[in-house]
Amino acid sequence: MTAETTPPTTEPAAAERPRKRQARGERRIAQLLDAAGHVFAESGYTATTTNAIAARAGVSPGSLYQYFPNKDAIAAALAEFYADSLDELLAPFAVLDPAAVTLEEALGGALGPIVRFHRENPACLALFIGGNAPGHVMDLQAPLMARTHARIEALLALYAPDLPPARLEIGAAVTLAAYKGVLPLLVEADEERVPTLTRELGDLLLGYFDRLLRP
């Protein structure tokens, strides 16, 4: 066989297949987690079944079990997804220049995206913040809360670099607790009330920060 008639190599196509399978798998996992979030939020953890999640995702139970062995595994994957997503949302606000951006501006920029995230992912509240899930599921919130706490503490440290670490730590803890306390109101409110409630939450936190960061 001459060079002109030699068929082209199939190696690139063969190498591409695992990548395509991986991409399909990632899309399917995202599809299942999105469906699970809706079902958990609507039915609660105890009443939710893997069959209901599969039906909501439009796949067979067998397809779901290729990725998750049970409901607990799905909840754990959701907790990790929520932790990663919130950490990503907060990351830019921990490296701001206090000389160029006021704390009020930083808070205003952070609250909107975080509120939207929770409204779009109500299972985060239902499973890990609202306290209605079984204890072993609520325990999955620890990394989510720890990472969010660390981001808040880093933001506060930018605007009060001389504040003692213990004061920063408790300030971040109180800020997180205050947000968690108002969160159900924000998630359940009609859309037209969300901007007003978000501003009210911002005012609440700014009043606290004024006292906390005072020299």
Side-chain angles (χ1 to χ4, degrees):
M1 184 176 291
T2 66
E4 288 77 8
T5 59
T6 301
T9 178
T10 60
E11 287 183 3
E16 187 68 21
R17 282 195 292 270
R19 287 196 291 269
K20 288 183 176 179
R21 285 196 295 269
Q22 181 180 7
R24 282 197 299 270
E26 290 172 353
R27 288 195 297 270
R28 178 54 55 83
I29 290 172
Q31 177 187 5
L32 290 168
L33 291 180
D34 181 68
H38 284 94
V39 179
F40 281 134
E42 293 164 2
S43 303
Y45 184 84
T46 302
T48 292
T49 64
T50 51
N51 284 351
I53 294 171
R56 184 65 173 259
V59 303
S60 69
S63 294
L64 181 149
Y65 289 128
Q66 290 179 15
Y67 300 96
F68 300 105
N70 51 47
K71 185 169 63 173
D72 283 354
I74 298 174
L78 274 175
E80 182 177 0
F81 167 71
Y82 294 150
D84 288 344
S85 299
L86 287 169
D87 193 54
E88 185 176 343
L89 282 175
L90 285 169
F93 300 98
V95 292
L96 294 175
D97 180 3
V101 181
T102 67
L103 183 55
E104 182 175 1
E105 290 169 338
L107 183 63
L111 280 181
I114 295 171
V115 169
R116 282 195 299 274
F117 172 83
H118 281 293
R119 285 180 62 83
E120 292 168 0
N121 297 276
C124 188
L125 172 64
L127 291 184
F128 309 118
I129 299 175
N132 296 322
H136 72 283
V137 176
M138 285 294 295
D139 288 343
L140 296 171
Q141 74 163 308
L144 187 157
M145 292 297 106
R147 291 166 70 176
T148 304
H149 180 284
R151 289 297 187 186
I152 296 171
E153 192 171 342
L155 176 62
L156 294 177
L158 287 176
Y159 290 88
D162 297 327
L163 207 65
R167 187 88 169 119
L168 283 172
E169 191 281 328
I170 198 168
V174 170
T175 301
L176 184 55
Y179 178 76
K180 287 168 61 179
V182 179
L183 187 57
L185 189 62
L186 287 163
V187 169
E188 296 162 10
D190 294 333
E191 188 64 35
E192 59 268 20
R193 295 192 68 202
V194 173
T196 299
L197 290 170
T198 303
R199 285 194 299 272
E200 292 295 315
L201 174 60
D203 289 344
L204 173 70
L205 294 177
L206 281 171
Y208 174 62
F209 293 159
D210 181 61
R211 293 290 300 273
L212 174 71
L213 305 182
R214 190 177 299 168

